[in-house]
Amino acid sequence: MKLVFLFGNSAVGKMTVGQELAKITPFRLMHNHMMIEPVLEIFGDFRGDVIQKLRAVILEEFGKSDNYGLIFTYMMAFDMPSEYEYLQRVKDSLGVEEEDVYYVELVAPQDIRLQRNATENRLKHKASKRDIEASNQRLIRDDEHHRMESLPGEITSPNYIRIENSNLSPADAARLIKERFTFPD
């Protein structure tokens, strides 16, 4: 089993690039909001404990499957040590060895991400983002309170790529990832 951690700041394009990467590789996609949106719909508010339980079950069962691998999107706050611990729990849940983990970081400036925050594909898959003003304020607040991009040399894995995707289509970013790691069709 292989695992692609596709991480980056809010509205940087994780889900959309993940969708494109899943089209051209045997990887399956699990984007962050696949667990968040149903919980919001059912409970009417954000329930982090329930979301974590759902993710844990899905990851554990996926790890038992015969699937080639998983693309797991995640908005990581690099200033929080618990984030690294969570990534380790994801790897452990899937039973993935470190050499089969690929780290893909997407970066783009805030003005680009604010534009992307209102794209049709994002709003289609993320009902909680449809209040664009509130979503924009969360994006700005996250930028102010956390370090959402890695520092040079912080990610030491040889299976790491950082993509500045301001001027790349999601399909082009996905092709870069596929080529960098020589993923199969």
Side-chain angles (χ1 to χ4, degrees), residues 30 51-61 86 93:
M30 181 177 174
I51 292 165
Q52 290 301 332
K53 287 176 187 176
L54 282 172
R55 279 191 194 131
V57 168
I58 297 293
L59 290 168
E60 180 182 333
E61 292 302 316
Y86 181 70
S93 295

Side-chain angles (χ1 to χ4, degrees), residues 26-44:
F27 284 93
R28 305 294 300 172
L29 172 64
M30 181 177 174
H31 69 77
N32 204 25
H33 280 261
M34 289 173 143
M35 303 298 116
I36 294 171
E37 298 303 331
V39 170
L40 289 172
E41 180 70 24
I42 292 166
F43 290 93

